[in-house]
Amino acid sequence: MNDMSSARADTMKYYSPLARMLSPYVAGEQPQGGWIKLNTNESPYPPSPRVIEAIRNAVGKDAAALRLYPDPDADALRDALSKRHGVNRGNIFISNGSDETLAFIFAAFFAGLDCVTPAVGYSFYPTYALLFGAKLRLIPMVDGLNADVGGLLNADAPIIIANPNAPTTIALSRETILDTREALAKRSQLLVVDEAYAPFYEDCAVANGCARYDNLLVVRTFSKAHALAGMRVGYAVGHSNLIDALCRVRDSFNSYPVDRIAQAAALAAAEDVETLSRIVAAVSEEKITSRQALLSLGFECAHSHTNFLFARHPRVKGRILFDELTSRRILVRRFDKPGIEDYLRITIGTPDEMKCVIQALTDILKETLS
Ligand code: PMP
């Protein structure tokens, strides 16, 4: 054993074999103040005023109720979401962020089993696969950064996919998703669609009415278009058999994962579709402007169906762009993964923030390419 590995063995000496072999997800940094923060796809706009009011009440006039555990099933929130998606209460599962739903999905449906996902996708999936002993296979992308639907189906295993995909920003059509589901149903295999970004492109979404299929489970979040990342609420929509499986896992882990304040906030957000539409419209408009500006600087940048852009410059390394932006206190995300290492994932901020980003990139390119 060399020095490095013996030091590592020492720090891990009390760890279980499971803890030793985990490969934790590295979340985007959350620096405090003084940054243009475009690294975790949060909303640049605040949540609905109704959300603020609901939180005030939860910690004000209703605060005495905080002595009690919250509703384990979050029924009021499930009722609001079931109306939105045209399903029943029993078709909705609420969790502490959608990451928790995703973790429970791996435990409930994939633990110890085969499953597949596009090679460029949400990097928490491989982490959950390790945690729960799922054999997750990564299917290479085609034509650049497009998911290979044929390849995924040929793998003959349940599929988990983000649609629109992250970090690529590219969406499969609703028809493609539904055809894929049908093909999987013939083999009794599950399709999980992570629709974290679907509010920015509802045309591709299958959440509404998805409960009629027993092999389609859709995951959504309040963190992005609802501007509630700080509250940590996510949910699944699907057939009641699938929802029951998620409840089995939850109740084997933590019966009350979503606190009273978060439930009140998410309920108010779910009921305020006007604010949701306003945020989506503002972000979408700024996204078009920012993409145009990036294209005129020579960046390659696909048309985005999310609240972020994924761009690379053919002549400047991603690492250099990332470091230069960071030194100007602009935080974006870069993944040190073969094939996408030169891309920057840039969350759409306010128009002022995006002007600063474009100006900074203009300056960096001038310095680097001169
Ligand atoms: N799915 C995708 C594709 C994401 O990008 C994210 C955000 N990192 C999540 C799920 C998780 O979001 P949250 O846990 O905040 O609901």
Side-chain angles (χ1 to χ4, degrees):
M1 214 188 282
N2 63 30
D3 282 355
M4 276 280 274
S5 53
S6 67
R8 202 172 146 77
D10 194 50
T11 55
M12 291 191 172
K13 76 178 167 189
Y14 299 116
Y15 290 23
S16 69
L18 171 69
R20 280 167 202 249
M21 63 79 169
L22 293 179
S23 171
Y25 176 74
V26 181
E29 289 168 65
Q30 297 294 330
Q32 303 303 309
W35 286 82
I36 294 180
K37 187 178 176 305
L38 306 172
N39 66 331
T40 46
N41 300 341
E42 292 142 329
S43 166
Y45 303 107
S48 153
R50 290 204 230 162
V51 170
I52 313 289
E53 161 112 32
I55 294 172
R56 269 210 194 99
N57 288 340
V59 296
K61 78 175 176 53
D62 302 331
L66 291 175
R67 74 191 171 80
L68 301 171
Y69 285 109
D71 176 356
D73 296 312
D75 279 345
L77 179 55
R78 292 207 296 165
D79 286 345
L81 291 170
S82 61
K83 266 189 218 126
R84 157 108 69 91
H85 292 297
V87 297
N88 297 320
R89 177 195 277 181
N91 301 121
I92 306 271
F93 176 81
I94 310 288
S95 65
N96 189 332
S98 62
D99 280 339
E100 190 178 70
T101 290
L102 291 166
F104 290 177
I105 285 171
F106 274 84
F109 306 112
F110 301 150
L113 304 172
D114 279 327
C115 51
V116 292
T117 197
V120 179
Y122 185 29
S123 36
F124 228 134
Y125 305 155
T127 294
Y128 290 136
L130 269 182
L131 176 58
F132 294 109
K135 292 166 226 151
L136 178 67
R137 273 175 289 151
L138 304 178
I139 305 300
M141 312 305 277
V142 285
D143 307 328
L145 291 177
N146 288 289
D148 179 5
V149 176
L152 287 161
L153 279 171
N154 282 342
D156 193 17
I159 298 173
I160 178 163
I161 186 167
N163 196 47
N165 198 8
T168 66
T169 75
I170 297 168
L172 295 172
S173 71
R174 177 179 291 144
E175 292 66 39
T176 303
I177 293 288
L178 292 177
D179 289 350
T180 305
R181 183 216 66 82
E182 201 177 335
L184 289 172
K186 292 190 180 121
R187 311 192 299 232
S188 297
Q189 288 167 344
L190 186 65
L191 173 61
V192 176
V193 186
D194 177 351
E195 291 193 346
Y197 300 101
F200 298 98
Y201 185 54
E202 285 287 356
D203 282 358
C204 75
V206 293
N208 293 357
C210 71
R212 80 182 76 123
Y213 305 116
D214 74 353
N215 73 325
L216 177 60
L217 190 57
V218 178
V219 182
R220 290 245 172 164
T221 180
F222 281 88
S223 299
K224 315 293 178 184
H226 285 289
L228 268 189
M231 275 287 139
R232 308 300 298 124
V233 186
Y235 61 100
V237 192
H239 193 281
S240 58
N241 291 348
L242 304 178
I243 300 300
D244 288 350
L246 295 177
C247 293
R248 278 169 82 89
V249 173
R250 177 197 63 199
D251 295 337
S252 307
F253 179 76
N254 176 3
S255 306
Y256 307 102
V258 186
D259 67 62
R260 281 177 177 271
I261 303 167
Q263 287 190 30
L267 174 59
E271 286 174 340
D272 185 357
V273 282
E274 291 81 26
T275 299
L276 175 72
S277 310
R278 223 175 309 122
I279 291 176
V280 168
V283 167
S284 303
E285 193 181 328
E286 184 51 39
K287 178 169 67 178
I288 292 168
T289 312
S290 301
R291 176 167 175 266
Q292 277 310 327
L294 288 176
L295 294 177
S296 20
L297 288 176
F299 279 87
E300 296 163 11
C301 181
H303 180 70
S304 163
H305 290 110
T306 62
N307 65 341
F308 56 93
L309 294 167
F310 198 51
R312 74 170 164 193
H313 198 281
R315 294 171 62 201
V316 186
K317 292 252 166 278
R319 173 91 253 166
I320 291 174
L321 293 169
F322 178 88
D323 288 346
E324 287 292 330
L325 285 173
T326 305
S327 75
R328 289 161 169 83
R329 298 189 75 76
I330 297 172
L331 205 49
V332 299
R333 193 93 202 260
R334 189 183 79 91
F335 299 95
D336 216 356
K337 271 204 227 160
I340 58 167
E341 66 271 52
D342 283 328
Y343 282 84
L344 301 180
R345 194 194 70 185
I346 308 171
T347 305
I348 300 299
T350 61
D352 281 349
E353 287 175 323
M354 298 314 287
K355 271 194 202 95
C356 291
V357 175
I358 299 298
Q359 187 57 54
L361 287 171
T362 308
D363 297 344
I364 294 164
L365 290 178
K366 221 178 266 164
E367 286 161 22
T368 319
L369 295 173
S370 62

